[in-house]
Amino acid sequence: MAKKDGNTAKELKEKLFNKKKNAYLRMNDAEIKEMDKFCEGYKQFLGTAKTEREAVSFMEKEAEKSGFVPFEKGKTYNAGDKVYYVNREKAIILAVIGTEPIENGVNIVAAHIDSPRLDMKQNPLFEKDEIGYFDTHYYGGIKKYQWVTVPLSLHGVIVKADGSKITVNIGEDENDPIFCVSDLLPHLASAQMKRPATEVVKGEDLNIIVGSRPFKDDEASEAVKLNLMMILNEKYGITESDFLSAELEAVPAFGVRDLGFDRSLVGGYGQDDRVCAYPEFMAILGAKTPRRTAVCVLTDKEEIGSDGNTGLNSAYMKYFIADLGAMQGVKCRDVLSKSKCLSADVNAAFDPTYPDVFEKNNASVLNGGVCVTKYTGSRGKSGTSDASAEFVGEIRSLLDKNGVIWQTGELGKVDNGGGGTVAMYVANLNVDTIDVGVPVMSMHAPFEITAKADIWAAFRAFEAFIND
Ligand code: MN
Ligand code: MN
C-alpha cells in the first residue's frame, strides 16, 4: 500500500478532502430533540403568518412579550435594550443594543416575509356565464400551472372611502369557505397540453371562483355578482369601489405538515423565506446583551425585486440605522461601513428527480445544514453581492467555532438560470454581506419542502452571529 509520511490514502483523504456529512450523523439525541421542538414553533408560525402583514403582526406581538418596545427616535438606549420599528405593517426591524459603541458597526440579519401568491386586481369582481370570479395578477415568480385546483384563502386589507380599514382573513378556519382556480379536464385538454408549460395556464386564466348563486330576480343581469356584493356588504360593509383601495392576496388554504414517515421534513406554503425569517426572529428574541448591536430586518417585496418603500432596496433600514447612530452621535455611513450582514434567504435544495439542472459538487442538499452562499446572481454573477474571501472566512470560522452544521450551495448550474436575494441591497450600503439560508425543494410552489435539521442549523447560525 502506498503511503506518505506513514499515512494511507484513506487517512490522507480524511485529512485533506472537504467532507460532506448528513446532519443526522452529526447531531446527538438531545440536539435532535431540541431541533424537533424548535420546528414545532416554526410550523405554528408558518401556518399562522401567510402574508407579510400577518408575519409582522405575529412578530410584533411576540417581540412585545419578550420585552421589545417601539423605537423612539431621539431617545437614548443602553446595552441590552430591545426595540422594534414597524414599516407600514409590512416590514419590521428589531434591534438589541450592544455593549460596544455603535461606531464599531452592527450585526444585521435580514430575511423577507413576502412570498409568491395571487394578488387581486383593483377591479377584481366579475361575473362570467353566471359564475362569480376575482381577477388576479400573480406576485413573484411562479409556475402558473401549479396554482390551479389548489384550495385558496384570502388575506389582506380593504381601505374604505372613509379611510377605515378592514382586515380580511377568510379560508383558514375549517368552517370558512375557500376559493379556487379551475383547470380543464384531461378529456378536453389535448390542445392545452400541447402549449409550452409557460402557457398551459396563462396569467389571465388565473381567475378565482368566488361564487355561483344568483340574486333572486329574473330581470337583473349580473345577479351572481350582485348577490356576492350583498354578502360582502353585509360582512365587511364595503361596496365594489372599496376594492380599488384594497390589498387582497390569495394563498394556499392548507396547513403546515410534517412530511415523510420519519417526520424529517416540513411541507407548507411560503417557506421562501419565512423558513429563514423565523429562525432569525427567534435568534434576536433570545439575544443576551450582545457585544455588537444586533439588528434583525424582516422585509417585504423581495419576490418582486425589493423595490418600493417596504422593500430592502428602499431607505427604511438605512434610516433606522441612522437613527441608532445619531443616538451616540455617529454618522450612518460610519456605522454601515463597519457593519456585517447575514442575508438570510433560501437556496435551491438538490432534487434527485431533476439532477440535470444542478452541479452536484456545488449544490445544497436537504439535511446538509444551513447553506452559506458566497454569491448568487445569473449570467456570470450578474445581480449579486459576491462576498469577499475574508468575510466568508470569518463566517466560516464563526460557524465552526459554534458547532453549526453548514454547507455551501449555488443555485443551479452556471447559465441554467439563477436568482437574487436582498444581499446586494445591503452590501451596496458598504456592509460586509453574505447569503446564509435554508435549502428548499419545490421553491415558489404552493407547497414547499424543507428539512428540520437545516431549519435548526439556520437558527444556530443566526444565534451565533448575533451573540458573537
Ligand atoms: Mn427568497
Ligand atoms: Mn423567492
Side-chain angles (χ1 to χ4, degrees):
M1 197 187 291
K3 285 192 177 188
K4 170 108 169 82
D5 302 330
N7 290 313
T8 63
K10 194 181 167 220
E11 286 162 347
L12 283 166
K13 276 187 177 175
E14 190 70 22
K15 209 185 285 181
L16 298 172
F17 281 11
N18 179 20
K19 306 173 283 287
K20 291 180 182 174
K21 210 172 181 183
N22 191 296
Y24 282 94
L25 307 177
R26 300 171 60 183
M27 289 190 289
N28 60 33
D29 289 350
E31 196 175 0
I32 290 173
K33 216 170 158 184
E34 267 188 279
M35 168 199 88
D36 280 329
K37 195 175 154 214
F38 182 84
C39 288
E40 286 309 304
Y42 167 59
K43 284 158 58 189
Q44 181 78 27
F45 163 74
L46 191 64
T48 316
K50 290 191 170 182
T51 66
E52 56 286 340
R53 286 180 189 268
E54 288 170 357
V56 166
S57 136
F58 174 98
M59 286 166 170
E60 193 174 354
K61 268 185 226 132
E62 292 302 310
E64 294 232 338
K65 277 190 226 160
S66 292
F68 283 76
V69 295
F71 178 73
E72 287 174 52
K73 194 182 162 190
K75 197 172 161 182
T76 299
Y77 294 96
N78 302 310
D81 284 352
K82 300 169 169 187
V83 295
Y84 73 90
Y85 162 77
V86 172
N87 180 7
R88 296 168 173 87
E89 299 184 8
K90 294 194 251 183
I92 183 169
I93 303 180
L94 303 106
V96 181
I97 310 299
T99 52
E100 283 188 5
I102 261 165
E103 65 181 351
N104 292 1
V106 299
N107 280 6
I108 303 167
V109 280
H112 67 92
I113 46 178
D114 62 317
S115 296
R117 59 182 190 245
L118 304 180
D119 280 353
M120 298 318 112
K121 288 190 183 179
Q122 277 196 285
N123 285 305
L125 183 60
F126 71 97
E127 173 177 341
K128 198 175 176 193
D129 301 314
E130 297 179 55
I131 294 185
Y133 290 99
F134 271 174
D135 206 346
T136 69
H137 192 142
Y138 63 93
Y139 174 98
I142 61 168
K143 290 164 110 173
K144 294 184 280 286
Y145 66 79
Q146 291 179 332
W147 291 74
V148 296
T149 68
V150 169
L152 299 171
S153 57
L154 272 181
H155 300 239
V157 295
I158 302 170
V159 177
K160 295 204 273 189
D162 65 4
S164 61
K165 186 159 64 182
I166 304 151
T167 301
V168 175
N169 181 316
I170 182 162
E172 295 298 334
D173 187 285
E174 62 174 347
N175 297 311
D176 282 352
I178 52 166
F179 311 93
C180 183
V181 179
S182 67
D183 194 8
L184 213 45
L185 62 168
H187 319 61
L188 297 177
S190 60
Q192 180 199 31
M193 297 301 278
K194 288 193 186 96
R195 304 208 294 248
T198 49
E199 284 167 33
V200 166
V201 174
K202 297 174 184 169
E204 284 295 350
D205 297 340
L206 293 171
N207 300 320
I208 297 174
I209 297 174
V210 294
S212 68
R213 185 166 161 172
F215 178 71
K216 228 173 175 174
D217 178 346
D218 290 342
E219 302 299 300
S221 62
E222 296 191 293
V224 171
K225 177 176 165 178
L226 178 61
N227 194 47
L228 285 165
M229 262 332 299
M230 283 174 60
I231 292 168
L232 291 168
N233 183 265
E234 202 168 294
K235 187 169 166 66
Y236 299 114
I238 58 164
T239 62
E240 191 180 9
S241 24
D242 290 324
F243 284 126
L244 299 175
S245 46
E247 272 178 358
L248 292 172
E249 308 171 1
V251 301
F254 45 67
V256 181
R257 301 291 289 267
D258 282 343
L259 201 150
F261 288 117
D262 57 10
R263 296 179 176 270
S264 59
L265 307 167
V266 176
Y269 162 72
Q271 301 207 64
D272 172 7
D273 183 33
R274 278 165 228 144
V275 73
C276 295
Y278 181 78
E280 179 186 306
F281 175 68
M282 292 308 285
I284 195 139
L285 276 202
K288 312 277 174 277
T289 303
R291 191 168 57 81
R292 286 159 65 87
T293 293
V295 177
C296 166
V297 189
L298 289 315
T299 195
D300 182 30
K301 295 286 178 279
E302 193 277 343
E303 294 296 357
I304 55 168
S306 293
D307 289 317
N309 56 16
T310 53
L312 214 52
N313 198 16
S314 96
Y316 80 91
M317 185 186 81
K318 194 168 92 178
Y319 292 166
F320 179 81
I321 289 178
D323 291 341
L324 278 184
M327 183 174 86
Q328 296 182 7
V330 189
K331 280 196 193 121
C332 179
R333 49 173 283 183
D334 294 329
V335 183
L336 287 169
S337 301
K338 288 193 176 163
S339 292
K340 302 170 192 179
C341 173
L342 297 188
S343 160
D345 206 345
V346 298
N347 205 315
F350 178 80
D351 188 336
T353 308
Y354 302 99
D356 294 352
V357 300
F358 297 93
E359 189 268 289
K360 214 172 171 185
N361 214 18
N362 285 286
S364 64
V365 295
L366 295 177
N367 294 319
V370 67
C371 179
V372 177
T373 303
K374 187 175 182 293
Y375 50 85
T376 60
S378 49
R379 303 173 317 279
K381 296 192 179 181
S382 184
T384 184
S385 149
D386 194 348
S388 70
E390 289 83 352
F391 190 54
V392 183
E394 190 181 322
I395 295 305
R396 177 185 160 195
S397 74
L398 173 79
L399 298 180
D400 286 341
K401 194 175 76 188
N402 286 279
V404 177
I405 299 172
W406 65 281
Q407 58 182 324
T408 59
E410 235 181 80
L411 205 153
K413 274 182 180 164
V414 176
D415 285 343
N416 244 13
T421 65
V422 299
M424 60 179 168
Y425 303 112
V426 183
N428 288 348
L429 299 170
N430 198 28
V431 174
D432 271 317
T433 307
I434 188 166
D435 278 293
V436 176
V438 176
V440 174
M441 205 178 259
S442 308
M443 197 195 293
H444 285 202
F447 191 76
E448 299 174 312
I449 301 165
T450 56
K452 290 181 181 176
D454 304 333
I455 301 170
W456 171 243
F459 168 71
R460 297 266 292 99
F462 303 139
E463 192 184 40
F465 181 67
I466 284 173
N467 295 305
D468 179 32

